[in-house]
């Protein structure tokens, strides 16, 4: 029995020795120079910080980061080839049946990445600052204004919203037309800044009214100070404004409503005079 087992083992070793060249591997993940010989078949090749020489078969993807890749004439790559920070050397006869993506880190690419990163960081910083400002402004207006703010807020909280939105819509169109005319001359730029400041002032008032109205609808805030109710409403508004697309629509609606309040207040003052 032992002799039979030993004989079978020797035969198996001889069989493997007679086919030493064909190699199967699931994937190759290396941090050094890597070679896939002509007799190898692998699923994926991922090399970081080294070069790759592929002469065999890759059934999926080849990814090279920080190195070059040479695809030999005997190579068969059935997936995509992605090179980041390196070069592709493709010999005649090589079979690459999918896309080749080569991202080089030259000066133009680096400058683009730096510029894009800076814009993203700057946009995030501006968005964060605007969110904090929208949280603080309603609370400050209610605290500082006291009785005058209360009378003003109560007056426009009970004004028909449709009327205010209509007035704000036409006011926005008028301000946009005036701004376009002012842009045609350099002298008009300071006036555009003044228009923007007035719109921001109107927006802060409209934000305070909406925040306090929403704060009154929250359970458990009936016995709270007005500034706390305004802060709770502002949190709801800012949270909704940070939702993509919904936030933009909400901001335009709030701006239109605020401009309507500003126009209504201006008309009432002119009538009194």
């Amino acid at each position: 029995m032992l002799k039979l087992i030993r004989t079978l083992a020797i035969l198996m070793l001889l069989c493997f020795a007679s086919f030493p060249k064909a190699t199967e591997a699931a994937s190759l993940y290396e941090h050094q120079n890597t070679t896939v010989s002509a007799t190898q078949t692998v699923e994926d090749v991922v090399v970081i910080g080294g070069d790759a020489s592929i002469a065999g078969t890759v059934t999926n993807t080849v990814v090279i980061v920080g190195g070059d890749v040479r695809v030999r004439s005997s190579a068969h790559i059935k997936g995509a080839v992605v090179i980041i920070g390196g070069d592709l050397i493709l010999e005649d006869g090589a079979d690459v049946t999918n896309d080749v993506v080569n991202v080089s880190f030259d000066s133009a690419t680096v400058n683009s990445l730096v510029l894009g990163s800076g814009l993203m960081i700057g946009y995030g910083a501006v968005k964060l600052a605007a969110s904090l400002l929208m949280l603080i402004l309603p609370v400050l207006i209610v605290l500082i204004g006291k009785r005058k703010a209360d009378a003003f807020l109560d007056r426009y909280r009970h004004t028909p919203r449709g009327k205010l939105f209509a007035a704000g819509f036409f006011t926005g169109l008028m301000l946009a037309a005036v701004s376009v005319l002012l842009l045609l001359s350099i002298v008009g730029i300071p006036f555009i800044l003044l228009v923007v400041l007035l719109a921001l002032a109107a927006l802060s008032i409209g934000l305070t009214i909406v925040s306090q109205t929403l704060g009154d609808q929250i359970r458990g805030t009936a016995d709270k100070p007005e500034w706390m109710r305004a802060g709770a409403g502002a949190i709801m508004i800012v949270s909704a404004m940070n939702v993509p697309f919904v936030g933009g629509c909400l901001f335009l609606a709030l701006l239109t409503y605020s401009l309507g309040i500003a126009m209504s207040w201006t008309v009432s003052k002119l009538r009194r005079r």
Side-chain angles (χ1 to χ4, degrees):
M1 188 65 180
L2 292 175
K3 289 183 179 180
L4 179 61
I5 294 174
R6 186 179 299 174
T7 302
L8 292 174
I10 293 172
L11 289 174
M12 291 176 65
L13 289 174
L14 290 174
C15 290
F16 284 124
S18 63
F19 302 100
K21 304 298 183 181
T23 305
E24 294 284 343
S27 298
L28 292 177
Y29 299 93
E30 300 290 348
H31 296 276
Q32 58 186 357
N33 294 341
T34 304
T35 300
V36 178
S37 64
T39 55
Q40 274 188 294
T41 299
V42 297
E43 291 185 2
D44 299 285
V45 176
V46 179
V47 180
I48 299 176
D51 299 332
S53 176
I54 300 175
T57 301
V58 181
T59 59
N60 287 327
T61 307
V62 176
V63 178
I64 311 297
V65 179
D68 301 331
V69 57
R70 178 182 289 272
V71 182
R72 304 288 182 177
S73 59
S74 59
H76 299 278
I77 301 176
K78 300 179 181 179
V81 179
V82 180
I83 307 112
I84 301 176
D87 296 323
L88 171 65
I89 303 171
L90 190 65
E91 294 184 357
D92 293 336
D95 181 21
V96 180
T97 60
N98 215 315
D99 296 331
V100 176
V101 179
N102 190 353
V103 180
S104 60
F105 289 115
D106 53 8
S107 58
T109 304
V110 172
N111 292 336
S112 299
L113 290 174
V114 171
L115 179 60
S117 301
L119 290 175
M120 290 180 63
I121 294 173
Y123 172 75
V126 171
K127 192 174 181 180
L128 177 60
S131 298
L132 292 175
L133 189 62
M134 292 180 68
L135 287 173
I136 295 172
L137 272 177
V139 177
L140 290 179
I141 291 175
V142 172
L143 285 174
I144 295 173
K146 295 182 180 181
R147 294 182 179 179
K148 291 183 178 180
D150 292 342
F152 183 86
L153 296 177
D154 288 337
R155 174 184 175 184
Y156 287 102
R157 284 171 64 182
H158 297 91
T159 302
R161 294 185 178 88
K163 179 181 178 181
L164 294 176
F165 272 109
F169 178 76
F170 289 108
T171 303
L173 290 179
M174 181 182 65
L175 291 178
V178 171
S179 298
V180 171
L181 293 176
L182 291 175
L183 279 174
L184 299 178
S185 61
I186 300 177
V187 181
I189 294 178
F191 294 98
I192 294 178
L193 295 177
L194 179 61
V195 170
V196 172
L197 290 176
L198 291 175
L200 291 177
L203 182 62
S204 63
I205 298 299
L207 175 64
T208 303
I209 295 174
V210 177
S211 297
Q212 197 167 19
T213 303
L214 287 176
D216 292 340
Q217 306 300 319
I218 300 175
R219 288 185 178 182
T221 59
D223 57 342
K224 302 296 182 181
E226 291 185 353
W227 66 269
M228 291 186 66
R229 283 180 279 167
I235 292 175
M236 295 178 61
I237 294 174
V238 172
S239 300
M241 281 191 176
N242 282 285
V243 178
F245 182 74
V246 175
C249 296
L250 181 60
F251 177 79
L252 290 177
L254 181 61
L255 180 60
T256 303
Y257 179 71
S258 302
L259 291 176
I261 293 174
M263 178 57 68
S264 177
W265 178 82
T266 304
V267 170
S268 65
K269 288 293 184 181
L270 292 176
R271 286 178 177 176
R272 290 179 183 178
R273 291 183 179 180

